[in-house]
Structure formats: structure tokens, C-alpha cells
């Protein structure tokens, strides 16, 4: 079984370059099939979620050429099938973006219903409500969502809650609808804006992305484009927390500091020094951290995808902090794992009460999901002794070369296959 083994205790120091945003890339790759011309996308993160989505796209008959590790060329002209198989949606939930893209372009799509997920139940009623509002007939049969329309007609759509996925999916379906669609209570996350910018680069007419009202005037077709994906806000935030938890000094390069403001503000409350430059941030932490409270909210609030990494740093603060999760109901599963490393944590409803300790103790833990997995790696880096982490396939879904980047900052981490490899690692670093 693949695991990470970590010898903690080294402050992470140096420079790290952030990859393209996974969550933006998922929307952009799906949207790329909407053109019948070549679309070249770069700054693509080389992570397993992206590679699975590319396979799902290729399964429709679209041409997918991996130009290099971080660049792909897609041409949707050869698409013959509007159906995305269950095997893809099981591996990666976000293949449901192909529903909006195929429906928008061909007025027909069939995608398997995404199941539950280990961070909570994740309904897609708002996505379907949007498609129906645009005039699609939507049916669920044998676990498949079937959406079909003679014509898609623009409408005024109010989302009942702020949803990144619904905003992106409806936006894609609406770019080739007749007339002007308005999405109210839209998500404002940086990746929503990036997908809108990408659609516009193909000739779509999307205005207002980044605010809570998005206006889309339908066009008849989309042309080819060359597009660079924005840097990953969450990968950057993860390294910021790694600097803080290990009392290190990391300059995080190729970022958009504006996207990191809520994270920077929290880390400063914890006593870290954060210096924002044009396209990099430096994070330095020394001594004992201060406790503080965190509540996750839609952008520009504190991201739910940064909740575990921040909690890992707070569990080393001098006092008690409260972390409140208001987006997903089941996002504290990693707290049991953290307790194995000595953390003093108590989960009550959607809050975790965390009383800081001086240092984690290395332990054998298991990643319950992507971001919590990355957070446990940070805990291992800050711990006294050895930590082994199972379930690293979750981490590889969203972090490009995570262990390599950590090693370049002086962290002792290795991807291992078995006990023999662990022994070798221990011998190497002792
Ligand atoms: C996206 C991100 C994920 C991030 C989340 C919140 C991608 C691929 N994933 O997930 O990393 O944690 O945003 O920032 O971009 N909801 C409904 N009905 C719907 C849609 C959503 O009830 O139809 C609820 C969800 O259960 C959740 C909340 O709305 O409580 C927000 O979910 P949403 O923003 O849609 O998250 P995702 O797009 O799935």
C-alpha cells in the first residue's frame, strides 16, 4: 500500500512554486469541449482528478492530446457520445461539469448521478434546477441524469444557496442558450471567474463573474482558444499553513495574493508574518502561535478547503480555538487521526474546539479525504518522530508533486510502497 512516511521536526524553509488551480481546471476542461476548434490549455495541474476527467472527455470521442505534463489540446468536433459513464463519475465527482457542457452544446447529456462523498452529502438539486429553468427536460433513471432540450432559452435563475458547482454548470449550459440568462446568488470563487474568463476567451458573453449576479448572453458557437489556468489558491494556502505549523519561512511563488487574503489574515491573527508581493507571498512563523476562531464561508470568506490545514496549525497554538464548518457537515473526520498525534480536540456539531499542545507526536494515521490528507502531512512535518499516512491517493487527487515540493523545502518525506521502503527511509535520514 502506498503511504507517505515523514520524519517531523524540520522547519520548512525556501521557495515553492504553485501549480494551476485544480478546481478551475475541472470546469475549464469540461467547457473546452464546447468548441469545434482546437483549445490549448496550459498551467494544468498534473494530478489524478484532472487525468480522470481527461479520460472522461476522451470517452465522448473528443480529441485530447497531452502536449506536455501541464498542457493539453482539446477539440470537441469529433464528439459522438453525450453520455459519461458511471466509472468516471465514481472516481471524480466533478465530471458532472460535462453535463452542463454537453447540454449547452448539443442540448443533450447523460451523466451518472454523483454519489455521496466523504466530506458530507453533496446534492446537485441546484444544478438540475438551473438546467430545467433553461428549458431542459431532466430525468433521473437507473442512477443516470438525462437532460435534453429542443432549445435552451435564457432565464432568470435564483440559486437557493451559494454553490460553486451549480454556478459553473449552469453558466456552461447558458452560454449557448437563446437570450440573456441571469444567475443570482452566484458563487464568487476565483475558479468561477476563471471558467467565465475561459468561456469568454472562446467567444462567450459572460459578465459579472466574481460578483453574485452573473449575466450571460447566449452565442451560437464558441471558437478555439489558448488559455492559462490561474494558480491554485488552496495549494498555496496549504504551503502557507505548512510554514506556520513548522515555524518555517516559505516564499510561495506564482500566486494571486488577492485570492489568499482571508488565509493571510487568519495566519496573521495567529502571529505569523505574511508579506504579500506581486505574485508571491512569504510566510514566516516563530515561537508559539496564538489561538483564534475560524468559520468557513463562501468566497471571499474563509475557504472550507483550507479548514483542516488551518486547524492543524491552531492545534499548536497557546490556548483554545474554535473552528466552525458551515459548508460541509462531515469535514471533521480527520480530528480522530489528529488526536492520535496528541492533539486535544473535541467536535461538537459543526464546530471543533481545539486546545493547543506544544508539539504533535508522530503516529500512523489515515487520510480521510483530499484536504484533510494534506493537513495530516503538515501535522507529520511538525511532529516529533515518524508519521506514516495511508490513503495518499486522496492527496494525489489534488496536489501536484506534493512530496517533492515538501522535500525541496527541507521536509523529510518519502512516498513508500511497503515496510522495507520505510526502513530504508529511516536508515537514510538517521
Ligand atoms: C466546490 C469545490 C470544493 C469546495 C466547495 C466549496 C470543485 C470541483 N470543488 O465543490 O473543493 O470545497 O466548492 O467551496 O470546485 N449544495 C446543495 N445543492 C446543490 C449544490 C450544492 O445543497 O445543488 C450545497 C452543498 O451540499 C454544500 C454547499 O451547497 O453544502 C456548497 O457546495 P458547492 O459550492 O456546490 O460545492 P462543490 O461545487 O461540490
Amino acid at each position: 500500500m502506498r503511504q507517505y512516511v515523514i520524519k517531523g521536526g524540520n522547519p520548512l524553509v525556501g521557495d515553492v512554486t504553485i501549480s494551476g488551480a485544480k478546481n478551475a481546471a475541472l470546469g475549464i476542461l469540461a467547457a473546452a469541449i464546447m468548441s469545434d476548434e482546437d483549445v490549448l490549455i496550459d498551467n494544468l495541474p498534473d494530478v489524478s482528478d484532472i487525468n480522470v476527467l481527461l479520460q472522461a472527455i476522451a470517452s465522448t470521442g473528443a480529441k485530447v492530446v497531452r502536449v506536455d505534463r501541464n498542457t493539453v489540446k482539446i477539440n470537441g468536433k469529433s464528439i459522438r457520445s453525450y453520455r459519461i459513464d458511471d466509472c468516471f463519475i465514481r472516481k471524480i465527482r466533478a465530471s458532472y461539469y460535462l453535463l452542463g457542457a454537453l447540454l449547452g452544446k448539443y442540448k443533450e447529456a447523460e451523466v451518472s448521478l454523483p454519489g455521496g462523498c466523504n466530506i458530507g452529502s453533496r446534492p446537485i438539486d441546484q444544478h438540475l434546477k438551473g438546467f430545467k429553468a433553461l428549458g431542459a427536460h431532466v430525468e433521473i433513471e437507473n442512477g443516470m441524469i438525462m437532460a435534453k432540450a429542443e432549445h435552451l432559452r435564457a432565464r432568470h435563475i435564483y440559486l437557493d444557496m451559494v454553490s460553486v458547482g451549480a454556478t459553473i454548470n449552469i453558466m456552461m449550459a447558458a452560454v449557448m442558450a437563446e437570450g440573456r440568462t441571469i444567475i443570482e446568488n452566484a458563487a464568487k470563487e476565483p475558479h468561477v471567474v476563471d471558467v467565465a474568463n475561459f468561456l469568454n476567451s472562446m467567444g462567450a458573453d459572460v459578465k459579472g463573474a466574481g460578483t453574485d449576479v452573473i449575466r450571460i448572453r447566449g452565442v451560437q458557437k464558441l471558437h478555439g482558444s489558448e488559455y492559462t489556468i490561474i494558480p491554485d489558491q488552496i495549494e498555496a494556502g496549504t504551503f502557507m499553513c505548512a510554514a506556520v505549523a513548522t515555524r518555517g519561512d516559505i516564499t510561495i511563488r506564482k500566486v494571486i495574493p488577492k485570492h489568499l487574503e482571508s488565509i493571510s489574515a487568519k495566519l496573521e491573527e495567529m502571529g505569523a508574518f505574511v508579506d504579500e508581493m506581486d505574485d508571491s507571498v512569504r510566510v514566516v512563523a516563530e515561537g508559539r502561535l496564538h489561538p483564534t476562531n475560524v468559520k468557513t464561508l463562501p468566497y471571499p470568506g474563509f475557504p472550507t478547503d483550507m479548514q483542516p490545514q488551518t486547524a492543524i496549525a491552531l492545534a499548536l497554538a497557546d490556548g483554545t480555538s474554535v473552528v466552525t464548518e458551515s459548508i460541509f457537515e462531515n469535514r471533521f473526520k480527520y480530528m480522530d487521526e489528529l488526536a492520535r498525534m496528541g492533539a486535544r480536540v473535541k467536535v461538537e456539531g459543526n464546530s471543533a474546539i481545539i486546545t493547543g499542545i506544544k508539539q504533535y507526536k508522530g503516529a500512523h494515521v489515515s487520510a480521510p479525504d483530499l484536504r484533510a490528507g494534506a493537513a495530516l502531512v503538515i501535522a507529520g512535518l511538525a511532529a516529533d518522530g515518524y508519521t506514516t499516512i495511508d490513503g495518499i491517493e486522496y492527496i494525489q487527487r489534488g496536489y501536484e508533486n506534493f512530496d517533492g515540493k515538501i522535500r525541496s523545502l527541507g521536509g523529510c518525506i518519502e512516498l513508500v510502497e511497503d515496510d522495507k521502503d520505510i526502513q530504508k527511509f529511516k536508515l537514510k535520514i538517521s
Side-chain angles (χ1 to χ4, degrees):
M1 182 183 27
R2 301 186 112 201
Q3 294 173 312
Y4 282 141
V5 56
I6 298 167
K7 166 83 166 41
N10 290 359
L12 295 195
V13 177
D15 288 21
V16 67
T17 300
I18 295 307
S19 302
K22 172 189 74 96
N23 286 349
L26 292 169
I28 287 171
L29 292 175
I33 63 139
M34 298 184 75
S35 170
D36 280 344
E37 296 172 21
D38 280 353
V39 175
L40 191 72
I41 297 160
D42 71 15
N43 205 28
L44 192 69
D46 185 13
V47 296
S48 64
D49 268 12
I50 295 300
N51 298 328
V52 173
L53 182 62
L54 288 174
Q55 287 166 21
I57 290 173
S59 77
T60 64
K63 209 164 129 200
V64 176
V65 180
R66 195 69 175 246
V67 179
D68 60 38
R69 184 175 185 190
N70 302 110
T71 313
V72 69
K73 197 195 278 179
I74 294 179
N75 189 316
K77 194 173 178 188
S78 48
I79 290 179
R80 298 285 170 265
S81 161
Y82 310 146
R83 183 189 161 104
I84 303 299
D85 269 355
D86 190 44
C87 65
F88 297 112
I89 201 101
R90 272 182 198 283
K91 285 194 196 140
I92 164 201
R93 211 184 130 72
S95 31
Y96 64 32
Y97 283 144
L98 289 166
L99 196 54
L102 290 167
L103 179 66
K105 186 179 182 192
Y106 300 106
K107 318 298 172 227
E108 190 177 338
E110 247 183 75
V111 174
S112 150
L113 195 62
C117 168
N118 43 12
I119 58 173
S121 80
R122 296 172 81 172
I124 59 159
D125 53 300
Q126 300 301 303
H127 306 228
L128 304 186
K129 170 175 133 165
F131 299 149
K132 285 181 194 161
L134 293 171
H137 181 70
V138 181
E139 252 181 71
I140 298 180
E141 225 173 76
N142 300 327
M144 294 296 286
I145 307 165
M146 290 178 287
K148 207 171 178 173
E150 281 293 312
H151 302 280
L152 290 176
R153 291 213 172 82
R155 281 288 293 276
H156 204 133
I157 299 165
Y158 293 83
L159 295 180
D160 296 338
M161 77 271 304
V162 179
S163 160
V164 170
T167 303
I168 291 178
N169 233 340
I170 297 168
M171 197 160 72
M172 290 194 290
V175 290
M176 290 170 91
E178 293 161 19
R180 194 167 76 139
T181 298
I182 299 178
I183 308 175
E184 301 255 13
N185 199 24
K188 302 189 280 256
E189 268 68 4
H191 40 293
V192 174
V193 179
D194 210 32
V195 177
N197 287 341
F198 170 67
L199 286 165
N200 286 342
S201 80
M202 293 198 296
D205 183 357
V206 181
K207 295 200 171 78
T211 75
D212 50 18
V213 184
I214 299 181
R215 295 183 168 77
I216 303 153
R217 194 172 287 283
V219 296
Q220 292 216 325
K221 63 186 232 187
L222 297 174
H223 54 67
S225 167
E226 287 185 13
Y227 196 79
T228 301
I229 293 168
I230 53 165
D232 198 304
Q233 173 205 26
I234 306 300
E235 189 199 3
T238 302
F239 280 102
M240 292 169 81
C241 285
V244 172
T246 65
R247 317 298 201 280
D249 179 349
I250 307 184
T251 299
I252 299 149
R253 300 203 180 276
K254 236 178 115 185
V255 297
I256 300 176
K258 173 90 193 136
H259 295 167
L260 304 173
E261 278 174 357
S262 64
I263 304 163
S264 301
K266 264 307 146 200
L267 298 182
E268 281 175 335
E269 280 173 36
M270 291 163 66
F273 165 82
V274 181
D275 188 15
E276 291 183 0
M277 292 155 270
D278 284 349
D279 64 354
S280 57
V281 287
R282 179 176 171 212
V283 181
V284 187
E286 283 169 0
R288 200 79 197 267
L289 304 167
H290 310 312
T292 187
N293 298 333
V294 177
K295 183 175 183 183
T296 63
L297 287 168
Y299 190 84
F302 194 86
T304 172
D305 285 355
M306 281 304 302
Q307 181 257 99
Q309 304 89 315
T310 310
I312 254 100
L314 283 174
L316 296 170
D318 190 10
T320 300
S321 306
V322 179
V323 175
T324 304
E325 173 56 60
S326 69
I327 313 282
F328 294 112
E329 75 269 22
N330 201 7
R331 222 170 178 175
F332 285 132
K333 276 205 201 147
Y334 66 97
M335 288 293 180
D336 289 343
E337 302 300 305
L338 205 56
R340 297 163 71 94
M341 300 180 73
R344 288 170 60 201
V345 288
K346 197 165 141 208
V347 177
E348 281 183 6
N350 65 344
S351 291
I353 299 141
I354 303 173
T355 305
I357 53 166
K358 279 209 168 134
Q359 197 177 16
Y360 293 117
K361 288 198 174 60
H364 181 175
V365 294
S366 188
D369 62 68
L370 164 60
R371 304 303 172 185
L376 290 169
V377 170
I378 299 176
L381 291 165
D384 179 28
Y386 291 96
T387 296
T388 44
I389 303 185
D390 297 344
I392 65 166
E393 58 283 358
Y394 285 118
I395 302 171
Q396 292 171 331
R397 290 178 65 162
Y399 289 89
E400 179 175 306
N401 187 24
F402 197 41
D403 51 323
K405 289 186 185 186
I406 291 169
R407 276 191 299 276
S408 76
L409 296 166
C412 288
I413 180 170
E414 199 82 52
L415 196 159
V416 294
E417 304 278 350
D418 51 32
D419 283 352
K420 249 199 213 155
D421 287 348
I422 296 180
Q423 293 315 324
K424 262 195 230 155
F425 171 78
K426 288 185 175 171
L427 274 175
K428 193 170 90 187
I429 58 159
S430 62

